[in-house]
């Protein structure tokens, strides 16, 4: 059974996008900052206004969430997320995450969104961030 939590009036069909997850190796040695070519300011990246959807995969089951959001002037104005888990514990985490998500990202500039753990759900955050990366790629102007 699939549950849907949404913010706003629209529900976009989710596009299945396999997102591969890779482990990151920790490098304990600090690296010098190259000030000759500073990182681009988030305001320098432009995204096309519109509605975008992607699937974010996470965990070892694997689990997923279908994420749809609306971008206007590089700001997230609406978000919809499905909570398709069938396991009661997983579903509880997904629903708590989905309930908290709009309050965290609606009104935020898309390039500053960085979720690590939200509503006690770190896996859901990982899935959302993977879906967001796919959406950002599609929306780049």
């Amino acid at each position: 059974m699939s549950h849907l939590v949404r913010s706003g009036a629209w529900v976009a069909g989710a596009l299945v996008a396999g997102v591969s997850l890779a482990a990151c190796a920790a490098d304990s040695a600090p690296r010098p900052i190259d000030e000759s070519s500073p990182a681009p300011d988030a305001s320098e990246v432009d995204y096309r206004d519109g509605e975008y959807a992607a699937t974010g995969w996470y965990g070892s089951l694997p689990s997923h969430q279908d994420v749809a959001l609306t971008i206007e002037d590089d700001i997230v104005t609406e978000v919809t997320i499905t909570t398709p888990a069938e396991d009661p514990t997983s579903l509880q985490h997904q629903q708590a995450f989905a309930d908290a998500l709009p309050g965290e990202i609606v009104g935020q500039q898309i390039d500053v969104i960085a979720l690590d753990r939200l509503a006690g759900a770190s896996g859901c955050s990982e899935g959302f961030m993977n879906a967001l990366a796919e959406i950002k790629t599609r929306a780049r102007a």
Side-chain angles (χ1 to χ4, degrees), residues 2-131:
S2 179
H3 298 274
L4 176 68
V5 176
R6 67 184 198 168
S7 170
W10 64 277
V11 177
L15 303 173
V16 176
V19 178
S20 62
L21 304 175
C24 296
D27 184 350
S28 59
R31 295 190 175 138
I33 297 173
D34 179 6
E35 294 184 22
S36 63
S37 56
D41 185 315
S43 63
E44 292 178 18
V45 178
D46 289 321
Y47 296 92
R48 289 185 304 272
D49 289 354
E51 298 173 3
Y52 298 89
T55 298
W57 294 91
Y58 64 95
S60 59
L61 293 177
S63 296
H64 77 281
Q65 306 159 349
D66 297 320
V67 176
L69 56 83
T70 301
I71 302 168
E72 293 178 16
D73 296 325
D74 297 345
I75 303 293
V76 174
T77 60
E78 295 182 63
V79 64
T80 304
I81 186 166
T82 61
T83 56
E86 293 182 13
D87 173 76
T89 302
S90 296
L91 182 59
Q92 180 181 6
H93 286 294
Q94 284 185 350
Q95 287 176 333
F97 179 84
D99 289 343
L101 184 62
E104 289 293 315
I105 70 165
V106 170
Q108 296 295 318
Q109 204 271 346
I110 193 167
D111 275 337
V112 301
I113 296 171
L115 300 178
D116 182 358
R117 178 179 287 269
L118 180 61
S122 58
C124 294
S125 297
E126 179 183 353
F128 171 79
M129 291 304 296
N130 284 318

